Amino acid sequence: MIIAIDGPAGTGKSTIAVMLAKNLKGKDGQPFTYINSGNLYRAITLVCLREGVDPADSKKALEYARGAPLAYREGKLYLGDDMVEDLLHSDEVDRHVSPLSAIVPIRHVVNDLIREIAAGLNAVVEGRDMTTVVFPHAEHRFFLDASIKERARRRFEQGVSNLGLEEIEEALIKRDSMDRNKIEGSLFLGEGVYYLDTSGLTLMQVYDTLHMKLNM
């Protein structure tokens, strides 16, 4: 079974996806694997930055995307032998990940990797185009949203950025524009996808709402 979740940054979708994967079991009794598509793009961005390659250089970035030894182990993303999730939300990676993720051949590489990882598994997958491009026929599809001010506040309170609250809000607005206007894999609410504005909700309220919709 595939549970696909999309939405812009700061809507809580990563936290909710982790909670669902941790607490649910499929109809076959097997647990769920959590897959974060955004972290795959961030890991490729991290590789490029480490190697001094401009992540917006489509040719060179594609070479690193094809060669990056990325794998999920016990719900954590590894680059070779290194667990890199704690390195993926720096301001530098934030600045470069959206241009890199807009490179169409890189999207194909990542989408194929996600489908390969999820094949034969119960999986909760989240990102920007999981419900529309990667798994348009998933058994359950959700789109989480929130106001820009609420999303900026959440990101600020996470303490992963050196930016001020207003700077984070400006960065999110810019990121939204890029994400919604990609040539392929843009962020939008697909037909038949359940929409939930999380602005005034706690994490548990969001979780309970989705859990009820899953009827599991």
Side-chain angles (χ1 to χ4, degrees), residues 33-153:
T33 296
Y34 165 64
I35 303 172
N36 183 320
S37 69
N39 278 357
L40 294 171
Y41 291 107
R42 287 176 176 274
I44 296 169
T45 302
L46 179 65
V47 171
C48 290
L49 294 172
R50 283 179 171 179
E51 298 298 324
V53 171
D54 182 355
D57 184 328
S58 58
K59 183 176 180 180
K60 291 184 178 179
L62 179 59
E63 292 178 4
Y64 282 97
R66 286 172 171 163
L70 296 170
Y72 269 92
R73 301 172 196 158
E74 298 180 351
K76 300 292 185 181
L77 180 60
Y78 282 75
L79 180 62
D81 293 329
D82 299 327
M83 199 281 284
V84 295
E85 292 198 1
D86 293 341
L87 307 175
L88 301 181
H89 291 275
S90 69
D91 292 331
E92 187 175 21
V93 171
D94 276 350
R95 282 195 299 271
H96 293 285
V97 64
S98 194
L100 177 135
S101 68
I103 300 171
V104 172
I106 290 180
R107 299 199 68 82
H108 294 169
V109 169
V110 171
N111 289 348
D112 287 345
L113 178 59
I114 295 169
R115 294 186 186 106
E116 179 182 333
I117 294 171
L121 297 176
N122 295 315
V124 182
V125 296
E126 59 102 347
R128 299 294 190 276
D129 61 350
M130 295 299 100
T131 66
T132 55
V133 175
V134 187
F135 295 105
H137 303 297
E139 290 89 337
H140 300 280
R141 297 182 299 153
F142 301 109
F143 189 106
L144 302 187
D145 203 357
S147 69
I148 187 65
K149 290 190 178 298
E150 175 64 14
R151 290 160 52 207
R153 182 191 66 79

